[in-house]
Amino acid sequence: MPESHISTTPRWSRDDVAALLALPFPELVFRAMSVHRAHFDPTKVQVSTLLSIKTGGCPEDCGYCPQSAEYETGTKANKLMAVEAVLAEARAAKEKGAARFCMGAAWRSPKDHDLENVCAMIEGVKSLGMETCVTMGMLTMEQSLKLREAGLDYYNHNLDTSPEYYGKIITTRTYQDRLDTLANVRDAGINVCCGGIVGMGEGEDDRAGLIATLASLDVPPESVPINALVAVEGTPLAEQKRIDPIDFVRVVAAARITMPKSYVRLSAGREQMTDEAQALCFLAGANSIFYGDKLLTTPNSETSRDEALFGKLGITPEG
Ligand code: SAM
Ligand code: DTB
Ligand code: SF4
C-alpha cells in the first residue's frame, strides 16, 4: 500500500487505483475479500432506508438526475414534507429492521427555514433510536454545525465521478464546491457518506480518479455509496448503456481495498442487477445496501427479493 510523506493516512494515486482495476478478476476479488475480512464480518450487511423528504424541481443540472427542473422526466415537484409525516415513515422503517434513516432533499443547498425543519426531523428520528443521514446539497460551516447540534450522524454528499469527467455531467456547481462541503461536514464532527456513480459513459481512468480522490480525502468517508446509473427517460443520460456488471464489481472491490474500514454501499442500480452480480459485490466487499421498495424517485430492489437473496447467501442484515 502506498504511503504519503505528508500524512499518516495512506494515499492512493489514480495510477495505483487504475492498476487495481486492471488486475485479473480473481486476484482483485481475493484482495478485496481479504481486506474485507480483516475489518468486517463478511456475513453481515448494514441496511439503511431512504426517504425523499423534498422531491423534484431542483435548480441544478446534474445530467443523471430525474429531479432536476431542467429535464422533463415526469417527476412531480413537491414541497418539504411535514415533520410528523417523516417521523411516521421512520417508525415504519424501524419496524422493518432499518437502523439508519436517510433523508434526501432536491436542493442546491438548504434555506435557513428549511434547515430548521430538517433539524426537527433529525431530532425526531434520533428519539426513535435510529441513526440519521441527510443529503440536501451544499452546506456552509454554520449549517453543518446546526445539523450536528440536532444530532445528525451522517451527511451524504457525493463526488459523483472523477474531477476530469465531472464537467461533462454537471455545470451548475464545481468539484471544489463539493470538496468544500465535505470539509465543512467533516470539521463539524459529522460522519461523511460520499461516493459516486458509475456507468455514465466515463472511462476506466475516471473510475480510478473517483476512487483515488475518495480514498485520499484527509479522512476517508465512513460510508461510500457506489451507484450504478439508473438511466431515466428525459435526462441527458437516458440512452446510456448499462455498465458491465463485472466492471461494476471491480469498482466495488477497488473501493473496499482502498478504504478498508469504510462501509461500501451497493446503492442505486440494484434493481437492474441479477442476484449473482449482487452476490459478487458482497464477495468483493460491499457491506451496505438501501433497503425498501423505493430509492428517491426510482424503484429499488424489492424488500422480499432482498430477504430471499440474504437467505440464499446466508447474510444477516444489520443496523
Ligand atoms: N440534491 C442533493 C445533492 O445532489 O447533493 C441530494 C440528493 S441527490 C439525488 C443524491 C445523489 O443521488 C447524487 O449525488 C447522485 O450521486 C445520486 N443519484 C441521483 N440520481 C441518480 C441516478 N439516476 N442514478 C444513480 N445515482 C443517482
Ligand atoms: C446515494 O449515493 N444514492 C442515493 C442516496 N445517496 C441519496 C440516491 C440514489 C438516487 C437514485 C435516483 C432516484 O431514485 O431518484
Ligand atoms: Fe438536484 Fe441533487 Fe438531483 Fe443534482 S443530484 S439535480 S443537486 S437533486
Side-chain angles (χ1 to χ4, degrees):
M1 189 183 289
E3 295 286 338
S4 157
H5 299 292
I6 50 163
S7 160
T8 53
T9 314
R11 302 285 174 149
W12 290 84
S13 71
R14 174 190 298 249
D15 287 350
D16 297 329
V17 179
L20 285 179
L21 290 174
L23 280 172
F25 193 70
E27 184 61 34
L28 174 63
V29 174
F30 178 73
R31 282 186 62 178
M33 272 179 153
S34 309
V35 171
H36 191 192
R37 276 163 189 269
H39 298 279
F40 292 97
D41 176 345
T43 69
K44 302 247 159 70
V45 167
Q46 189 266 346
V47 298
S48 297
T49 293
L50 198 52
L51 176 70
S52 182
I53 57 171
K54 196 273 163 205
T55 307
C58 183
E60 304 287 288
D61 70 352
C62 311
Y64 48 75
C65 189
Q67 303 200 68
S68 166
E70 295 221 0
Y71 317 128
E72 293 288 337
T73 63
T75 305
K76 207 170 141 263
N78 290 323
K79 286 198 293 210
L80 180 62
M81 283 174 72
V83 177
E84 256 322 305
V86 172
L87 296 186
E89 297 277 352
R91 265 181 228 112
K94 192 182 177 192
E95 269 163 34
K96 287 189 187 138
R100 190 179 305 166
F101 194 64
C102 308
M103 296 169 270
W107 288 320
R108 173 177 166 81
S109 57
K111 306 234 166 19
D112 286 347
H113 64 277
D114 290 326
L115 195 72
E116 300 294 323
N117 284 318
V118 173
C119 285
M121 291 171 192
I122 293 166
E123 281 158 13
V125 175
K126 290 287 287 182
S127 70
L128 297 175
M130 297 175 92
E131 281 188 321
T132 49
C133 178
V134 172
T135 178
M136 53 184 176
M138 294 185 284
L139 293 183
T140 62
M141 187 65 206
E142 203 188 340
Q143 291 173 321
S144 308
L145 287 169
K146 279 202 179 127
L147 289 167
R148 179 69 205 124
E149 269 165 40
L152 183 65
D153 298 294
Y154 289 82
Y155 194 77
N156 168 237
H157 198 63
N158 291 337
L159 288 175
D160 281 348
T161 187
S162 68
E164 295 75 16
Y165 198 64
Y166 182 87
K168 295 209 162 48
I169 304 293
I170 300 144
T171 69
T172 48
R173 71 169 93 150
T174 66
Y175 211 76
Q176 188 58 49
D177 287 333
R178 292 189 185 242
L179 291 168
D180 291 347
T181 291
L182 292 171
N184 290 337
V185 168
R186 172 65 72 207
D187 291 347
I190 301 169
N191 293 309
V192 171
C193 171
C194 181
I197 310 177
V198 288
M200 299 195 291
E202 75 284 344
E204 191 88 324
D205 199 44
D206 295 304
R207 293 175 194 157
L210 167 67
I211 300 294
T213 309
L214 292 168
S216 301
L217 291 171
D218 283 341
V219 180
E222 281 75 13
S223 243
V224 182
I226 306 291
N227 297 276
L229 174 74
V230 179
V232 179
E233 223 183 297
T235 63
L237 296 179
E239 302 303 325
Q240 195 61 53
K241 193 171 155 271
R242 204 175 295 157
I243 184 172
D244 182 302
I246 299 295
D247 288 342
F248 185 83
V249 177
R250 286 180 177 278
V251 178
V252 169
R256 167 51 63 221
I257 294 167
T258 56
M259 292 170 274
K261 295 181 185 161
S262 307
Y263 278 82
V264 175
R265 182 170 306 120
L266 176 52
S267 302
R270 255 179 356 95
E271 201 218 9
Q272 292 76 13
M273 274 176 214
T274 62
D275 284 2
E276 292 85 344
Q278 292 190 60
L280 279 176
C281 290
F282 295 134
L283 292 182
N287 60 349
S288 173
I289 59 164
F290 285 121
Y291 199 51
D293 297 347
K294 205 172 168 197
L295 291 165
L296 291 174
T297 65
T298 65
N300 190 19
S301 178
E302 282 183 20
T303 308
S304 54
R305 181 183 166 204
D306 289 344
E307 278 168 5
L309 178 59
F310 283 161
K312 278 198 278 188
L313 300 177
I315 283 177
T316 316
E318 65 169 11

